[in-house]
Amino acid sequence: MIERKTVRDIDLTGKRVLMRVDFNVPLQDGKVTEDTRIRESLPTIRYVLDHKCAVILMSHLGRPNGQVVEGLRLAPVARHLGELLKRPVTALPIATGPSAEAAARYLAPGQVLMLENLRFDPREEQNDPDMAQELAKLGEVYVNDAFGTAHRAHASTAGIAKYLPAVAGLLMEKELKVLGTLLEAPQQPFILILGGAKISTKIGVLDKLLPRLAKLLIGGGMAYTFLKAQ
């Protein structure tokens, strides 16, 4: 298995840490209704805070298609995270620009800032280098703890890693270890349960895993694609 640097392999002490998380969680009436993805990133956030860091979090939420959608703002997620961390989490109504830079620059160790929904900016999904550089100005170290979006070449994932020292978070490390075991030495019978809406983004995974599988169980929206093919 390829060894990758994690937050344990870099000196974080006192730094501003820019962390990509996957807080794409369901909201109803301005409240988080299912918080597994948030809780999964808590070990990394706490690890960084324990090293006297200021933390700037960035995530997407839903599919706003490059436009501001009021119902997809991250402020409710920031409030929920603050309750879990038992400390304030400041939600910015922007993700880049001079105001975001000022807010990040004046963060004290132990403080947490959450940027606005990255996908309000169309440049995020275009992996625009200008946006990646604007995000990079906010921190001194980049931590990717968003396994669910790591396969996408976006400004906040692939783009930003060109401009800051980049390491994986603890959740990313855990997910990669599990995936590595499944690819290299899976226990048998190896049964895969696969869900989601878009088959196009999972074809590569299926091609890789099919020779190793005893059974493949398909659910979610993409089950209809297979039913139609049959």
Side-chain angles (χ1 to χ4, degrees):
M1 192 185 302
I2 298 174
E3 293 296 323
R4 296 169 176 82
K5 282 192 175 183
T6 74
V7 287
R8 297 190 191 90
D9 302 313
I10 191 169
D11 181 14
L12 298 171
T13 307
K15 289 185 167 61
R16 292 194 319 277
V17 174
L18 185 61
M19 188 183 306
R20 179 58 159 99
V21 290
D22 183 3
F23 288 173
N24 185 25
V25 295
L27 299 177
Q28 185 174 349
D29 299 326
K31 294 184 178 180
V32 175
T33 57
E34 208 290 318
D35 67 355
T36 299
R37 290 185 178 186
I38 300 174
R39 290 178 180 274
E40 286 288 313
S41 275
L42 290 179
T44 306
I45 296 170
R46 287 173 175 147
Y47 180 92
V48 171
L49 289 171
D50 287 345
H51 285 74
K52 299 180 173 60
C53 295
V55 181
I56 302 112
L57 299 171
M58 49 185 178
S59 179
H60 73 284
L61 178 62
R63 298 177 185 171
N65 298 317
Q67 299 181 12
V68 175
V69 177
E70 291 300 324
L72 294 177
R73 288 193 179 276
L74 279 167
V77 180
R79 285 194 297 271
H80 191 86
L81 175 63
E83 294 170 3
L84 295 174
L85 289 174
K86 295 181 171 53
R87 70 176 72 205
V89 175
T90 302
L92 273 190
I94 52 174
T96 61
S99 296
E101 291 172 32
R105 186 164 53 249
Y106 291 111
L107 270 186
Q111 292 185 323
V112 183
L113 181 70
M114 184 175 292
L115 305 180
E116 186 54 280
N117 191 336
L118 293 167
R119 291 187 184 174
F120 284 178
D121 191 328
R123 301 179 299 167
E124 159 68 353
E125 294 184 88
Q126 296 165 1
N127 193 15
D128 185 280
D130 289 338
M131 183 177 181
Q133 290 180 65
E134 289 169 21
L135 290 170
K137 290 178 182 178
L138 306 179
E140 298 168 281
V141 175
Y142 170 65
V143 176
N144 191 343
D145 210 33
F147 180 78
T149 59
H151 64 295
R152 302 186 188 280
H154 289 173
S156 67
T157 55
I160 197 172
K162 299 176 182 178
Y163 304 106
L164 287 176
V167 295
L170 303 179
L171 174 59
M172 178 75 78
E173 178 187 41
K174 182 177 78 171
E175 297 277 16
L176 289 173
K177 282 183 178 178
V178 170
L179 185 61
T181 300
L182 292 176
L183 290 173
E184 294 170 10
Q187 291 186 346
Q188 295 296 338
F190 183 10
I191 300 172
L192 175 66
I193 303 172
L194 192 66
K198 294 180 292 184
I199 184 62
S200 60
T201 59
K202 299 175 179 69
I203 285 292
V205 175
L206 286 174
D207 283 343
K208 188 78 173 178
L209 291 179
L210 272 175
R212 298 169 170 80
L213 296 178
K215 291 184 179 180
L216 172 62
L217 308 180
I218 299 173
M222 66 180 181
Y224 295 109
T225 305
F226 286 87
L227 288 171
K228 184 175 180 181
Q230 286 181 337

